[in-house]
């Protein structure tokens, strides 16, 4: 079809079925002039009838029946009952009707064109399937054959054909054998239709369908065309003549719809794939970090089950996070939104040490690219793609009132849907680029300082017990949610109380002679496991080497808190209180009330340590409470753990968002074991043979560890 028509020149109409009437061709002129058919005109009915010389063929024109302006009737005997009929409504292009009338007069060798030997009067030549097959070959869709009616439809949804297997042989206007309609199906009455009874010969139906699918355009004067047909061609008639219609959507709208659908899919990765399905997809994939060194590589399936499961969870996290910038795969340059770590995979993180993992952040990026591509390529049902944008506004119309995709008529939106699906599936080839250097790649595994702001981690229920068990402490009680360990002397008990919020650890020293509790120590469920573990390490060491130091503790103001002063913490000058504050603006406090009057009035005499955000409601911070007579080894252990400059390893999603502005966070880096010929054993041990630096950008050539970059701190 043309794009900029001149009102003085005809329009070239493609597809032809949108031309409607307007040709100067008279479908029966040659019959009358060249073949001497008889023509009769009924002035009262405004109808014309043309008959062959032998009265076996009869063509009527005018309003003969609803939907049949032209009707062709053929009989085996002159003026006999019809053998077959064909009808065409008023707006059927004249060229299509002419093709049928011309077919009746193409001479064949040794054939008389009068009498019962005429080819159009021979029985058994109807072939409706051939008609529909020709339409399918021209690009129409085969819609199947429900209820004994085979249907096909044009790509633009503006034309359709139906073949009824068990039609009454002479039923033309009710349920004829073959019908071709043009116009939106939802509009009700078609723009025009062609009807054929069951015995219509193939020479007639074939001539009609050849004219229908001929790629050559039909010419029409646009100013005389039906407004609906003209609109389908992309034009409208105004006082200034024929002008192009503003399209319902732009090329960018198609791209943005595909990008929105892709983003919706990736953001819901944990709803589409289970951890087990991710593991199955990755099982045979090699870890890129193991392909750099000599020897065979390691596949994900060769890792320990706990490491495989954690890797699958982190992979899903990365895929979901990539939804915020997946539009770049489709050529859109919009700025990525902020990380979406709140979209977390559900399920408990395996209690394994993160610094002993055999996979790297780079390995996870590669795995996430594989899973993203898998999700794209397995979304083969178009409805799964359309859900991402079907009820959304078309982007280019948003500045106005806004048009929604699902408001467009089927014949308008269907081509858009197909193009959107095509662009969506094309993203498969580029899925790995979501995690390429230069893209937003939040590391799943990080090193963070200070430890006291890094969150509890995922080993709070197991790591703090290790020093006690190593020192010979005994598990004396276990219930669904508690575990209690007793010291070898039986005087000290440490209990882990696990809930949905985490694990709280509490220790108490009880005098066996009196039953009195001499002191207690309680770390809440959000206390970083490294701090609780450090306290238990000191506790186990003191009990083994100097148990008396744990029984008799003489309170000394600020005794045991030397690590705080050495690390630059400052002691606030508040009478009646000991308050040490972290040097970064008060993100942690270590204090005790010492004022006798306040204590007499019920003030808490215990040491209280707190860090992070402890606002009402869901809190990101934590606290420790210790009796005022807590032994110095424990007091010193807490102070030393608080001020430790050693980074702790975390999953990025475990670090509270409220604390990140006060922290130094860098991607986790470690030494990857060199592959050996025994690939199974390689997956179960680590050897410091190969250095691997994991960074958020390209790997430095010398693979040396970069210095952590300080994150700007919030002004207190």
């Amino acid at each position: 079809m043309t794009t900029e028509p001149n009102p003085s020149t005809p329009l070239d109409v493609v597809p032809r079925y949108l031309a409607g009437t307007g040709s100067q061709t008279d479908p029966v002129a040659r019959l009358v002039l060249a073949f001497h058919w008889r023509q009769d005109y009924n002035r009262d009915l405004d109808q014309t009838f043309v008959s062959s010389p032998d009265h076996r063929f009869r063509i009527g024109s005018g309003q003969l029946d609803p939907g049949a302006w032209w009707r062709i009737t053929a009989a085996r005997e002159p003026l006999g009952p019809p053998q077959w009929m064909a009808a065409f409504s008023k707006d059927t292009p004249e060229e299509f009707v002419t093709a049928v009338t011309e077919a009746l007069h193409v001479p064949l060798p040794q054939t008389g064109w009068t009498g019962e030997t005429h080819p159009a009067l021979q029985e058994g030549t109807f072939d409706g399937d051939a008609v529909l097959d020709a339409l399918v070959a021209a690009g129409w869709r085969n819609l199947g054959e429900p209820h004994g009616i085979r249907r096909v439809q044009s790509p633009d949804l503006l034309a359709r054909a139906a073949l009824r297997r068990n039609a009454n042989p002479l039923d033309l206007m009710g349920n004829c054998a073959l019908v071709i309609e043009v116009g939106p199906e939802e509009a009700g009455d078609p723009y025009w239709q062609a009807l054929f009874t069951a015995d219509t010969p193939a020479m007639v139906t074939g001539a009609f369908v050849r004219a229908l699918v001929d790629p050559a355009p039909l010419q029409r004067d646009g100013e005389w065309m039906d407004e609906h047909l003209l609109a389908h061609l992309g034009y409208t008639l105004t006082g200034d003549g024929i002008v192009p219609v503003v399209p319902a959507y732009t090329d960018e709208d198609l791209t943005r719809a595909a990008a929105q659908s892709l983003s919706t899919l990736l953001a819901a990765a944990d709803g589409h794939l289970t951890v087990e399905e991710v593991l199955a997809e990755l099982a045979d994939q090699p870890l890129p970090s193991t392909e750099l060194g000599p020897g065979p590589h390691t596949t994900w399936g060769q890792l320990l089950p706990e490491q495989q499961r954690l890797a699958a969870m982190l992979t899903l996290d990365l895929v979901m996070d990539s939804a915020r910038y997946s539009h770049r795969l489709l050529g859109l340059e919009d700025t990525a939104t902020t990380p979406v770590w709140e979209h977390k995979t559900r399920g408990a993180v395996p209690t394994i040490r993160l610094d002993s993992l055999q996979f790297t952040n780079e390995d996870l990026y590669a795995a996430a690219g594989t899973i993203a591509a898998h999700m794209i390529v397995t979304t083969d049902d178009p409805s799964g793609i359309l859900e991402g944008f079907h009820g959304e506004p078309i982007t280019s119309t948003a500045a106005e009132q806004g048009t929604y995709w699902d408001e467009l008529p089927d014949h308008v939106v269907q081509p858009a849907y197909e193009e959107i699906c095509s662009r969506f599936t094309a993203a498969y080839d580029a899925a790995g680029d979501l995690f390429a250097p230069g893209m937003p790649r939040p590391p799943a595994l990080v090193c963070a300082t200070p430890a006291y702001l890094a969150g509890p981690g995922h080993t709070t229920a197991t790591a703090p017990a290790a020093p006690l068990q190593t020192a010979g402490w005994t598990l004396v009680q276990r219930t669904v949610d508690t575990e209690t360990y007793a010291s070898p002397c039986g005087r000290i008990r440490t209990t882990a109380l696990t809930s949905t919020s985490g694990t709280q650890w509490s220790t108490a020293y009880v005098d066996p002679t009196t039953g009195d509790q001499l002191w207690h120590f309680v770390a809440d469920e959000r206390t970083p496991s490294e701090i609780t573990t450090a306290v238990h390490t000191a506790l186990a060491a003191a009990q083994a080497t100097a148990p008396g130091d744990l029984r008799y503790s003489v309170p000394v103001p600020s005794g045991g808190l030397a690590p705080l002063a050495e690390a630059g913490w400052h002691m606030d000058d508040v009478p009646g209180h000991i308050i040490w504050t972290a040097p970064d603006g008060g993100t942690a406090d270590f204090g005790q009330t010492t004022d006798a009057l306040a204590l007499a009035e019920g003030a808490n005499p215990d040491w209280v340590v707190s860090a992070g955000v402890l606002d009402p409601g869901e809190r990101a911070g934590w606290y420790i409470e210790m009796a005022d007579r807590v032994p110095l080894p424990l007091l010193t252990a807490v102070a030393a753990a608080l001020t430790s400059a050693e980074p702790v390893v975390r999953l990025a999603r475990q670090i509270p968002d409220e604390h990140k502005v006060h922290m130094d966070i860098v991607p986790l880096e470690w030494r990857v074991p060199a592959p050996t010929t025994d690939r199974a054993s390689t997956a179960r041990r680590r050897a410091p043979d190969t250095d691997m630096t994991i960074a958020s950008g390209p790997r430095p050539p010398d693979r040396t560890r970069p210095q952590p970059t300080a994150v700007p701190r919030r002004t207190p």
Side-chain angles (χ1 to χ4, degrees):
M1 66 184 71
T2 60
T3 56
E4 295 295 337
N6 186 326
S8 63
T9 60
L11 289 178
D12 287 336
V13 180
V14 177
R16 299 175 123 226
Y17 48 75
L18 292 180
T21 57
S23 169
Q24 299 302 314
T25 302
D26 183 347
V28 298
R30 284 192 69 210
L31 303 180
V32 176
L33 297 177
F35 300 105
H36 310 295
W37 284 38
R38 177 176 177 178
Q39 183 175 19
D40 297 308
Y41 176 66
N42 187 320
R43 185 181 300 274
D44 294 333
L45 298 177
D46 192 23
Q47 295 175 344
T48 299
F49 295 91
V50 177
S51 302
S52 63
D54 61 0
H55 297 285
R56 284 181 168 86
F57 296 97
R58 185 176 176 87
I59 302 174
S61 62
Q63 191 60 44
L64 306 175
D65 286 301
W69 183 266
W70 297 92
R71 184 169 62 186
I72 302 175
T73 303
R76 292 184 60 81
E77 301 295 336
L79 301 177
Q83 177 182 338
W84 59 265
M85 293 182 287
F88 312 98
S89 57
K90 185 175 182 179
D91 289 321
T92 305
E94 293 89 349
E95 292 87 346
F96 298 173
V97 181
T98 301
V100 173
T101 60
E102 289 291 320
L104 297 176
H105 289 277
V106 175
L108 300 177
Q110 300 178 350
T111 298
W113 283 89
T114 59
E116 60 184 11
T117 60
H118 193 296
L121 297 176
Q122 305 308 305
E123 295 182 357
T125 63
F126 176 69
D127 192 351
D129 281 308
V131 173
L132 269 59
D133 290 343
L135 295 175
V136 172
W140 292 35
R141 299 182 183 87
N142 198 334
L143 302 183
E145 193 169 334
H147 311 296
I149 302 177
R150 182 185 172 190
R151 302 179 187 275
V152 299
Q153 189 176 51
S154 64
D156 59 9
L157 276 67
L158 291 175
R160 66 206 64 84
L163 173 64
R164 189 181 300 273
R165 300 291 185 188
N166 299 315
N168 184 312
L170 292 178
D171 187 344
L172 179 65
M173 301 307 301
N175 295 300
C176 62
L178 177 64
V179 58
I180 298 173
E181 295 181 338
V182 173
E185 193 166 14
E186 66 272 15
D189 294 336
Y191 297 155
W192 63 263
Q193 63 182 3
L195 310 171
F196 303 91
T197 60
D199 286 334
T200 305
M203 65 180 299
V204 171
T205 58
F208 184 87
V209 77
R210 284 192 297 272
L212 180 68
V213 301
D214 189 337
L218 296 180
Q219 288 193 337
R220 292 291 185 269
D221 184 339
E223 294 190 358
W224 291 96
M225 286 186 65
D226 178 88
E227 61 178 351
H228 296 97
L229 296 173
L230 192 62
H232 293 316
L233 297 174
Y235 305 111
T236 187
L237 184 62
T238 69
D240 297 327
I242 302 172
V243 297
V245 175
V246 176
Y249 50 81
T250 66
D251 186 73
E252 183 176 343
D253 289 331
L254 298 175
T255 300
R256 290 195 175 279
Q260 184 173 353
S261 190
L262 178 60
S263 176
T264 300
L265 174 72
L266 298 179
D270 63 342
H272 288 271
L273 293 173
T274 65
V275 168
E276 288 69 27
E277 288 171 331
V278 172
L279 290 176
E281 185 66 23
L282 294 178
D284 296 330
Q285 297 290 325
L287 278 68
S289 62
T290 68
E291 294 183 304
L292 298 178
H297 57 248
T298 300
T299 64
W300 288 104
Q302 292 175 314
L303 300 183
L304 292 173
E306 297 83 357
Q307 295 206 25
Q308 290 186 47
R309 187 170 187 82
L310 177 60
M313 296 172 68
L314 297 178
T315 295
L316 284 174
D317 276 348
L318 287 172
V319 171
M320 289 186 288
D321 185 72
S322 71
R324 63 192 176 95
Y325 55 90
S326 58
H327 56 272
R328 297 184 181 178
L329 291 187
L330 295 158
L332 299 174
E333 298 297 332
D334 299 1
T335 302
T337 57
T338 56
V340 289
W341 291 111
E342 62 270 22
H343 294 156
K344 301 181 179 74
T345 351
R346 297 298 177 256
V349 176
T351 54
I352 55 178
R353 290 180 53 187
L354 298 182
D355 57 358
S356 65
L357 296 176
Q358 291 181 273
F359 56 85
T360 70
N361 279 310
E362 294 290 340
D363 293 331
L364 291 174
Y365 295 142
T370 298
I371 295 303
H374 171 74
M375 293 182 66
I376 294 170
V377 77
T378 54
T379 307
D380 52 2
D381 180 3
S383 64
I385 300 173
L386 304 185
E387 287 176 0
F389 68 91
H390 184 64
E392 297 297 322
I394 299 174
T395 306
S396 63
T397 68
E400 304 169 1
Q401 186 175 359
T403 302
Y404 290 75
W405 284 106
D406 55 1
E407 293 176 344
L408 298 179
D410 291 345
H411 67 277
V412 174
V413 78
Q414 185 61 37
Y417 283 172
E418 293 179 357
E419 179 60 28
I420 290 167
C421 290
S422 175
R423 298 184 189 200
F424 174 94
T425 54
Y428 166 80
D429 293 330
D433 292 340
L434 281 169
F435 309 94
M439 294 291 272
R441 299 197 302 171
L445 306 162
V446 298
C447 288
T449 54
Y452 61 76
L453 293 179
H458 63 282
T459 59
T460 53
T462 56
L468 305 179
Q469 294 170 319
T470 301
W473 290 46
T474 306
L475 179 62
V476 295
Q477 183 180 9
R478 173 181 285 168
T479 65
V480 174
D481 55 4
T482 64
E483 288 186 350
T484 300
Y485 297 87
S487 64
C489 67
R491 295 179 174 87
I492 311 173
R493 293 202 171 197
T494 298
T495 300
L497 175 61
T498 300
S499 67
T500 55
S501 301
T503 301
Q504 171 187 286
W505 286 88
S506 59
T507 299
Y509 190 111
V510 178
D511 189 329
T513 59
T514 64
D516 295 335
Q517 178 177 291
L518 300 185
W519 56 264
H520 69 275
F521 169 94
V522 179
D524 80 346
E525 66 277 0
R526 293 200 56 83
T527 304
S529 61
E530 291 84 358
I531 294 177
T532 311
T533 301
V535 172
H536 288 181
T537 300
L539 176 63
Q543 195 281 328
T545 59
D549 291 347
L550 298 179
R551 177 179 175 84
Y552 300 104
S553 179
V554 179
V556 177
S558 294
L561 303 185
L564 300 179
E566 294 170 359
W569 287 47
H570 60 272
M571 185 174 180
D572 296 341
D573 186 13
V574 180
H577 297 274
I578 301 173
I579 302 177
W580 288 86
T581 305
D584 60 4
T587 58
D589 298 288
F590 197 130
Q592 179 189 39
T593 298
T594 58
D595 182 71
L597 181 59
L599 293 174
E601 292 177 350
N604 184 6
D606 295 338
W607 288 100
V608 176
V609 183
S610 65
V613 178
L614 287 170
D615 294 334
E618 186 175 353
R619 52 195 176 80
W622 55 271
Y623 72 89
I624 288 175
E625 184 178 284
M626 299 177 285
D628 61 333
R629 297 181 61 88
V630 71
L632 288 180
L634 272 62
L635 206 61
T636 302
V638 174
L642 272 175
T643 58
S644 173
E646 185 68 23
V648 295
V649 182
R650 288 288 188 273
L651 306 181
R653 65 178 183 169
Q654 294 175 330
I655 297 178
D657 290 336
E658 300 90 334
H659 296 171
K660 290 178 180 177
V661 70
H662 300 291
M663 301 181 67
D664 294 333
I665 303 172
V666 297
L668 175 64
E669 55 187 53
W670 63 94
R671 300 170 72 86
V672 177
T676 67
T677 54
D678 183 357
R679 297 169 70 180
S681 63
T682 299
R684 289 168 172 78
R685 70 173 184 268
R686 305 180 62 80
D689 294 329
T690 305
D691 287 332
M692 172 71 70
T693 298
I694 306 302
S696 58
R699 184 177 298 112
D702 60 357
R703 299 182 181 177
T704 58
R705 175 174 180 167
Q707 293 299 315
T709 301
V711 178
R713 300 188 183 281
R714 183 171 55 196
T715 302

